[in-house]
Amino acid sequence: MNDSASPAPQPRRSDATRAAILEAARERFATDGYERATIRAIAKDARIDPSMVMRYYGNKEGLFAAAVSYDLRLPDLTSAARGEVGHALVTHFLAMWEENEELTAMLRVGATNKGGAERMQEIFREQLLPVARQACPDPEQAPARAGLVASQLLGLALTRYVLRFPPTVALAREEIVAWLAPTVQRYLTAPSP
């Protein structure tokens, strides 16, 4: 008797290897942070040779970009007073940057690695752009306005958390909010120039 039902396809070995690498990388980056995590340690955790990590992801930056998905947990601005949107976003981002090294690591990788840049662009598209659409008076301008907001927030993060410019590092959170919130507010809600 010939059984026409075929068994379920088995996952390819390379898929299983990639999954093991990504799982080990997520755990290692979360535990050790980006700087201290090594390809060798990740490969050991995944029980594979380090050359396999390099084969699939090229380098640590490429692996990080593939392993990390980040939820910015942006506030719902639909209930916020229109004049408080900038304040809410700057306050939120400062808390995010200061509570989690992963976001700073993503910025470092995004600035130096194509995969990391693509991951940052994806986060921008999927998370920041919808928030800008909530606040922007003209939906067609939302992408440009969101880009300007990102330039301010990422510029602050770069100078405060990555390059560690002493004057920027020395600013209290309240000072940063006071300086930056009106600019972010203007980018989101002011009439088009």
Side-chain angles (χ1 to χ4, degrees):
M1 182 168 144
N2 188 359
D3 188 353
S4 62
S6 60
Q10 296 297 316
R12 293 177 39 204
R13 186 173 177 165
S14 62
D15 292 340
T17 301
R18 285 177 193 261
I21 292 168
L22 291 176
E23 182 179 337
R26 286 184 191 107
E27 289 179 23
R28 183 62 62 174
F29 286 130
T31 303
D32 295 348
Y34 178 80
E35 297 300 327
R36 291 193 324 264
T38 66
I39 294 289
R40 198 170 294 284
I42 292 166
K44 182 179 177 186
D45 294 346
R47 297 186 176 123
I48 60 163
D49 188 85
S51 66
M52 294 301 289
V53 177
M54 303 304 280
R55 175 180 171 200
Y56 290 122
Y57 299 102
N59 54 32
K60 186 163 97 170
E61 292 86 4
L63 175 59
F64 183 80
V68 174
S69 60
Y70 196 81
D71 182 1
L72 295 173
R73 300 186 317 265
L74 292 170
D76 179 6
L77 299 177
T78 54
S79 61
R82 186 170 171 84
E84 294 298 316
V85 172
H87 185 274
L89 280 177
V90 173
T91 302
H92 178 78
F93 269 94
L94 278 172
M96 294 294 291
W97 289 109
E98 292 181 2
E99 292 170 6
N100 192 326
E101 289 182 24
E102 192 174 299
L103 196 52
T104 302
M106 284 184 67
L107 179 60
R108 283 188 182 107
V109 172
T112 60
N113 176 273
K114 182 180 178 193
E118 289 169 355
R119 181 57 55 113
M120 293 290 283
Q121 291 166 12
E122 181 181 309
I123 290 170
F124 170 83
R125 262 190 321 275
E126 294 176 0
Q127 297 182 50
L128 186 58
L129 188 54
V131 169
R133 285 193 172 108
Q134 291 176 2
C136 181
D138 181 353
E140 290 182 19
Q141 292 179 345
R145 290 175 182 250
L148 290 168
V149 168
S151 74
Q152 294 298 304
L153 297 172
L154 294 176
L156 170 68
L158 182 66
T159 59
R160 185 171 171 94
Y161 304 110
V162 176
L163 300 175
R164 303 198 47 82
F165 287 1
T168 311
V169 171
L171 288 170
R173 283 174 72 164
E174 299 78 26
E175 291 176 286
I176 293 171
V177 172
W179 281 102
L180 204 55
T183 300
V184 170
Q185 181 73 35
R186 181 173 55 84
Y187 285 158
L188 288 173
T189 63
S192 181

